[in-house]
Amino acid sequence: MSGTSAAGSVARAALEGYDGPRVRIMEVCGTHTHEIFRQGIRRLLPAQVELISGPGCPVCVTPVGFIDEALFLALERGCTIATFGDLVRVPGSRLSLADARARGARVRVVWSPQDAQAYAAAHPKEEVVFLSVGFETTTPSCCLAVRQAKEQGVCNFSLLTANKTMPGAYEAMRGSTDLFLYPGHVHAVTGTAVCEDLARAGVSGVVAGFTARELVTALAVGVTRFAEGEPFFVNCYPRVVRPEGSPAARRIVDEMMEPCDARWRGIGTIEGSGLRLRERHAAWDARVKFDVAPSEGRENPACRCGEVLQGRCAPGACPVFGRACTPEHPVGACMVSSEGACSAYYLYGADVHRAARDLTAHAHAPEGDEEG
């Protein structure tokens, strides 16, 4: 048996055999939620280990008012909206971008902000607005797109920003969990200082990767250390996450953007947790360029996405989950997004056992076969 396979077996045994105190673990990242379901990892958990979903899906925590602002740009200002696919079907107060497109609005799905900037350069008669939604992982590419547009003189490109940073969310959620399962891709950019600071303040957590073995290892380390009774932080994804993170990515964001207060769906406004373009780049800021009035938005009162994002409500407890709200006809953002908790519970929650057959193969896969 290889060393990596042996390590995976030890981690699995430690997780399955955990007999310590009850522990609630928050999967901050929506991709973790989906992978834990898909790989059948929940079947390994003893009764006293509870996984709860958190706010780590950027589409899910984007407030309804942002969708309303995008609709205003599409329908009232005649802009071409460029966006990642998940946002197209997220409901606004009255319509979604898919509804607007059916009414003749120009809504284009792109793979990256660079695609949107290139489209703007090729279509100078259209005002192209990219919906800049995401955490530390995707924000640098949005900044690079603006810098490139500025260097090339592409003045018909702008961002409607809803970029957010995670430290404020960790603080807001610290009372909802005993232990954070931190997202590896975020901390590949930010580094681990915020996690270390939280541990010193009494908030425990582990950074996890995204393969079955990496997730099982992080969970096993987490519950084992939790049983010792002292706050801790462990980086269980060292092949990608370094203490210093990515200084280059942080520099480009600091050059182009500045912190601002931001509203998070289900959580409310978190001071300093948002990012907006600096004043010297205002010509590429859609809110400034098109005089977009802030919108509070109006959520469907039957939807409990906000409570799901706070870890206060499992998706199945929402009265519309799986009934009025399905991936084909979503009521809330958590059912739309490919990283949404409701989407994960809908796709896998009713038949978790079918995924377990893949767990052993993935948990013992050679290192070279893993995806980061």
Side-chain angles (χ1 to χ4, degrees):
M1 179 180 290
S2 70
T4 54
S5 294
S9 297
V10 170
R12 177 171 177 163
L15 185 58
E16 290 182 301
Y18 175 70
D19 62 355
R22 182 173 180 82
V23 54
R24 301 180 80 214
I25 303 174
M26 179 174 282
E27 310 143 352
V28 175
C29 173
T31 302
H32 280 163
T33 300
H34 276 258
E35 283 304 295
I36 286 169
F37 264 124
R38 192 176 71 84
Q39 304 287 1
I41 294 172
R42 284 174 175 264
R43 285 196 65 200
L44 305 181
L45 303 180
Q48 66 270 40
V49 178
E50 179 185 1
L51 296 180
I52 57 175
S53 297
C57 163
V59 171
C60 297
V61 298
T62 299
V64 172
F66 178 83
I67 303 299
D68 292 345
E69 291 171 2
L71 289 165
F72 168 79
L73 289 168
L75 295 171
E76 302 297 328
R77 291 289 189 258
C79 297
T80 297
I81 301 299
T83 179
F84 298 135
D86 283 355
L87 275 173
V88 173
R89 296 192 304 123
V90 174
S93 296
R94 295 185 301 107
L95 303 170
S96 67
L97 286 165
D99 297 326
R101 183 165 57 188
R103 297 184 179 197
R106 293 190 300 270
V107 179
R108 297 184 58 86
V109 173
V110 295
W111 289 102
S112 71
Q114 282 69 32
D115 288 345
Q117 190 270 338
Y119 178 86
H123 297 80
K125 293 184 179 180
E126 296 181 31
E127 285 289 349
V128 179
V129 178
F130 177 72
L131 304 187
S132 184
V133 170
F135 298 137
E136 289 92 340
T137 313
T138 55
T139 300
S141 62
C142 298
C143 293
L144 286 170
V146 172
R147 187 166 75 178
Q148 187 173 13
K150 195 169 185 178
E151 290 171 350
Q152 296 177 356
V154 180
C155 298
N156 62 319
F157 173 74
S158 58
L159 301 184
L160 184 68
T161 56
N163 301 83
K164 293 178 172 62
T165 56
M166 290 306 301
Y170 296 154
E171 283 291 338
M173 295 290 99
R174 60 185 293 177
S176 299
T177 184
D178 300 310
L179 167 64
F180 281 121
L181 192 67
Y182 291 120
H185 46 14
V186 166
H187 291 283
V189 175
T190 67
T192 59
V194 64
C195 308
E196 294 160 4
D197 289 344
L198 283 166
R200 284 189 285 269
V203 182
S204 296
V206 292
V207 171
F210 298 91
T211 66
R213 186 169 68 243
E214 287 167 341
L215 285 163
V216 169
T217 298
L219 290 168
V221 168
V223 297
T224 301
R225 290 292 301 271
F226 180 78
E228 297 173 2
E230 296 295 329
F232 64 90
F233 165 68
V234 180
N235 177 12
C236 294
Y237 198 29
R239 68 186 180 92
V240 172
V241 175
R242 304 287 186 267
E244 70 277 11
S246 173
R250 295 198 302 275
R251 277 196 300 272
I252 180 64
V253 173
D254 185 60
E255 173 194 335
M256 305 297 294
M257 289 187 167
E258 62 185 5
C260 62
D261 297 346
R263 184 170 179 80
W264 297 58
R265 186 193 298 259
I267 300 174
T269 299
I270 300 178
E271 184 177 350
S273 67
L275 290 167
R276 63 188 175 199
L277 287 169
R278 293 186 181 276
E279 187 175 355
R280 61 179 176 270
H281 308 302
W284 288 269
D285 184 331
R287 288 191 178 89
V288 175
K289 189 174 186 179
F290 299 104
D291 193 24
V292 180
S295 172
E296 287 294 319
R298 186 178 67 256
E299 297 186 40
N300 187 315
C303 176
R304 297 183 68 183
C305 270
E307 293 170 78
V308 170
L309 293 167
Q310 296 178 74
R312 293 169 49 197
C313 167
C318 177
V320 296
F321 174 82
R323 300 175 179 86
C325 183
T326 66
E328 293 76 25
H329 301 285
V331 173
C334 295
M335 186 63 87
V336 177
S337 173
S338 60
E339 296 181 352
C342 293
S343 170
Y345 276 72
Y346 186 90
L347 291 172
Y348 305 112
D351 193 14
V352 177
H353 299 295
R354 72 180 181 183
R357 64 178 179 267
D358 299 323
L359 176 61
T360 301
H362 281 276
H364 300 304
E367 190 75 20
D369 291 345
E370 295 178 350
E371 297 178 2

